Amino acid sequence: MLLVLSAEQRAHLGCLPRAGGAAVGELGRLALEQLRRGAAPRACETAARKLNVGVDTIQHGVEGLVYLLTESSKLMISEVDFQDSIHVLGFSDELNKSLLQLYLNNRKEIRSILGELAPRLPSYHSLEWRLDVQLASRSLRQQIKAAVTMKLHLNQNEDQTAQVLQTDPATLLHLIQQLEQALGEMKMNHCRRIVRNMK
């Protein structure tokens, strides 16, 4: 799978040759620091003075590298696919090798950083349900009134919580149909591509 770069991302990565081939290591270090701790303008200014280039060049290069490394790590693209993805930038072989090495050396750490940034959502543990049917009452001798009561047990941050939900069978049937339709749409190629990119 190839990583598709927008025109803006290509322009940001286009700053790398201007910074020089030796700058990839420095910009890579800044990109990883930005992922770990957030933006650091002073570090960019220091790097700009050290490499004798403009601060904007450094900032754009770091932004481009952050995008390239995070998206490549999210998709866990192979070495060959990474090389093909950056080949369109027209960099020298030396610069391409430096970028590849930067990616290969840091992709596991980047994935763990991205995993920590992901929101912790509750996960399903179990479900209890009960169907209550009222056949008659004092005022109405023939009446059928049904209700489905569900107790949904969830795990969140090693704690268990429970949610009690109640609905009528018609609403539950409609909900089931909507979920089945959503599952059917998940099998479409477009949705599969989106899900792969989210991982």
Side-chain angles (χ1 to χ4, degrees):
M1 167 183 281
L2 292 178
L3 181 64
V4 179
L5 301 167
S6 70
E8 182 183 8
Q9 291 147 0
R10 286 182 188 192
H12 284 182
L13 288 167
C15 295
L16 294 177
R18 277 184 269 149
V24 171
E26 182 69 19
L27 293 178
R29 186 186 63 75
L30 289 173
L32 290 169
E33 283 301 311
Q34 185 169 324
L35 280 171
R36 288 184 198 116
R37 297 188 181 90
R42 287 188 180 171
C44 287
E45 290 170 9
T46 304
R49 281 194 303 272
K50 183 177 171 184
L51 298 170
N52 200 23
V53 292
V55 176
D56 287 346
T57 302
I58 297 294
Q59 288 175 336
H60 288 175
V62 169
E63 288 171 19
L65 277 177
V66 166
Y67 178 82
L68 180 69
L69 295 172
T70 54
E71 292 303 310
S72 300
S73 299
K74 264 190 226 176
L75 300 172
M76 281 301 282
I77 63 176
S78 68
E79 192 174 322
V80 172
D81 287 341
F82 184 85
Q83 287 175 323
D84 289 344
S85 297
I86 61 173
H87 181 73
V88 297
L89 298 169
F91 293 159
S92 67
D93 288 343
E94 181 186 336
L95 186 54
N96 285 343
K97 285 178 185 174
S98 299
L99 289 171
L100 175 64
Q101 202 58 47
L102 184 66
Y103 167 64
L104 294 175
N105 291 343
N106 297 293
R107 65 180 166 187
K108 287 182 183 172
E109 182 186 356
I110 293 168
R111 279 186 69 85
S112 72
I113 291 169
L114 294 174
E116 290 169 14
L117 295 175
R120 300 277 185 247
L121 300 174
S123 61
Y124 171 83
H125 182 265
S126 63
L127 175 75
E128 299 174 49
W129 62 275
R130 182 180 76 218
L131 177 65
D132 295 317
V133 181
Q134 183 179 351
L135 298 174
S137 66
R138 286 185 185 177
S139 59
L140 290 170
R141 296 205 176 237
Q142 291 202 345
Q143 145 193 350
I144 298 177
K145 189 176 173 186
V148 179
T149 305
M150 297 169 281
K151 189 172 187 180
L152 181 62
H153 297 273
L154 302 170
N155 292 329
Q156 185 168 21
N157 300 332
E158 299 178 14
D159 295 329
Q160 277 200 359
T161 59
Q163 299 288 327
V164 177
L165 310 164
Q166 189 172 37
T167 186
D168 61 287
T171 304
L172 184 60
L173 186 61
H174 176 71
L175 181 62
I176 290 169
Q177 289 170 346
Q178 292 296 310
L179 289 171
E180 286 175 345
Q181 181 182 351
L183 284 172
E185 288 176 5
M186 286 297 294
K187 294 176 183 173
M188 294 170 58
N189 287 337
H190 178 68
C191 287
R192 285 182 181 167
R193 221 174 298 126
I194 291 171
V195 169
R196 273 197 308 266
N197 288 336
M198 288 172 59
K199 290 180 181 174

